[in-house]
Amino acid sequence: MAEAPWIGEPEVAGNESFPAHLRQLGGEWPCVPFGTTEIDPHHHGFGTDNEWHVIERSAEAITLAIDYPKSHPIRRLERRIEGVRGDATVSLELTAEARTDCILPVGLHPIFKLAGEGRRMQLDPGAFARGYTFPKVFEPGASRLKPAAEFARLDAVPLTGEGAIDLSSPPAGLGEEILLLAGVPGCTCLTYPDNGYRVELSWNAGDFPSLVIWLSNHGRSASPWSNRFRGIGIEPVRAFFDDTALAPHRPSSLSPGRAFSAGERWTTKYRISASSLNASKHEGFAK
């Protein structure tokens, strides 16, 4: 997983003007709600920037929970993180308990490493129904993808002006981009051929029918980024990008979020696993 190089820097860790998830950016976390919404002041939800408490732990698993404010339509989140014995796999489970009837964008937010400079990387999200670029310029001065464009293949994503770019081999010369794939199968594979391994993220496509791909390759100049961060977010969602203000740009075929009923406990499961491309040379990964 990717980790921000500023984690632990005193000038960042002690600066509360930065949200908590930015001060410790990296790894994986659930987003309920996903992105920016009117009902929650935290980008990616209350659970993103506030402390969870431990319910249960063992040598192989931990269960965590966080109680949301009483004014929030979500009452509580719980998540279980468990290693799979004998395999290079982490099994994850998220439960969201609703306080009131609501429709909320929801998503998961793993951030994986980009391959080292000069090394290859391959991204395979499987077959998808349709792809969409961000409705406006994502990062002014850095983003190159054509805004509000549609595409059918990841190796031919439209650029501003003319031409297209192959995003099946990121970062493909890009600095800061975000796109959405609709109708995904629920499994994405990242292969690092020069490092000898692949990583796979799998989830329930019925829960998260779309995939947000966030590519950050030295593209953000504001503090604490300072053009230092490299990572690729592979984010299963039931949402349209990461801001409900973008809803007017949403194709009618795409869901704006999940419908929760008061008192409902909704559970979704997903897995992150690693495997070696050559087990004899890379003993640390399962076949």
Side-chain angles (χ1 to χ4, degrees):
M1 312 300 290
E3 287 189 344
W6 57 78
I7 294 176
E9 292 180 355
E11 61 272 24
V12 176
N15 189 342
E16 295 188 0
S17 68
F18 299 137
H21 78 274
L22 180 55
R23 281 176 267 155
Q24 303 181 55
L25 184 66
E28 179 276 335
W29 72 94
C31 304
V32 183
F34 182 83
T36 298
T37 63
E38 293 182 354
I39 60 93
D40 194 321
H42 301 273
H43 187 63
H44 291 317
F46 180 83
T48 293
D49 289 324
N50 293 278
E51 291 188 4
W52 295 56
H53 58 272
V54 176
I55 297 176
E56 182 181 5
R57 74 172 111 196
S58 67
E60 297 179 342
I62 189 169
T63 302
L64 306 163
I66 185 169
D67 296 311
Y68 273 39
K70 293 182 179 180
S71 59
H72 204 288
I74 295 297
R75 176 178 285 115
R76 179 182 174 93
L77 295 186
E78 297 176 6
R79 67 187 312 225
R80 180 174 174 82
I81 306 165
E82 184 172 9
V84 177
R85 184 181 290 274
D87 200 358
T89 297
V90 179
S91 175
L92 302 107
E93 180 178 296
L94 169 67
T95 297
E97 181 180 346
R99 179 176 279 112
T100 61
D101 293 350
C102 58
I103 297 177
L104 293 178
V106 293
L108 310 172
H109 205 304
I111 310 176
F112 296 95
K113 288 183 177 181
L114 286 172
E117 302 286 356
R119 290 178 175 262
R120 295 170 296 164
M121 182 177 183
Q122 297 161 359
L123 168 62
D124 181 9
F128 58 93
R130 200 68 180 162
Y132 304 88
T133 62
F134 201 61
K136 53 187 179 181
V137 176
F138 181 55
E139 184 73 13
S143 297
R144 295 176 55 206
L145 296 185
K146 181 179 180 180
E150 296 187 22
F151 57 93
R153 293 164 34 195
L154 197 60
D155 63 357
V157 182
L159 290 168
T160 297
E162 297 183 356
I165 201 161
D166 183 0
L167 263 174
S168 66
S169 299
L174 299 175
E176 194 74 26
E177 306 289 353
I178 193 167
L179 56 151
L180 182 143
L181 308 182
V184 292
C187 184
T188 292
C189 185
L190 295 167
T191 302
Y192 303 77
D194 297 321
N195 297 88
Y197 70 92
R198 67 169 56 89
V199 179
E200 184 177 283
L201 170 68
S202 58
W203 68 93
N204 184 337
D207 292 335
F208 304 110
S210 297
L211 182 69
V212 166
I213 299 174
W214 167 48
L215 173 66
S216 190
N217 181 37
H218 304 302
R220 293 188 175 184
S221 58
S223 181
W225 306 86
S226 302
N227 301 111
R228 296 184 291 168
F229 185 75
R230 299 186 78 242
I232 183 166
I234 305 296
E235 306 165 28
V237 300
R238 183 175 286 273
F240 184 65
F241 288 104
D242 64 348
D243 191 337
T244 52
L246 299 173
H249 303 277
R250 176 179 59 86
S252 59
S253 60
L254 295 188
S255 170
R258 188 185 188 281
F260 289 91
S261 300
E264 177 187 5
R265 284 177 59 85
W266 169 67
T267 297
T268 189
K269 298 180 180 182
Y270 53 111
R271 292 163 68 96
I272 299 173
S273 59
S275 59
S276 174
L277 300 180
N278 186 335
S280 64
K281 292 184 179 180
H282 303 276
E283 297 293 341
F285 298 98
K287 295 181 180 179

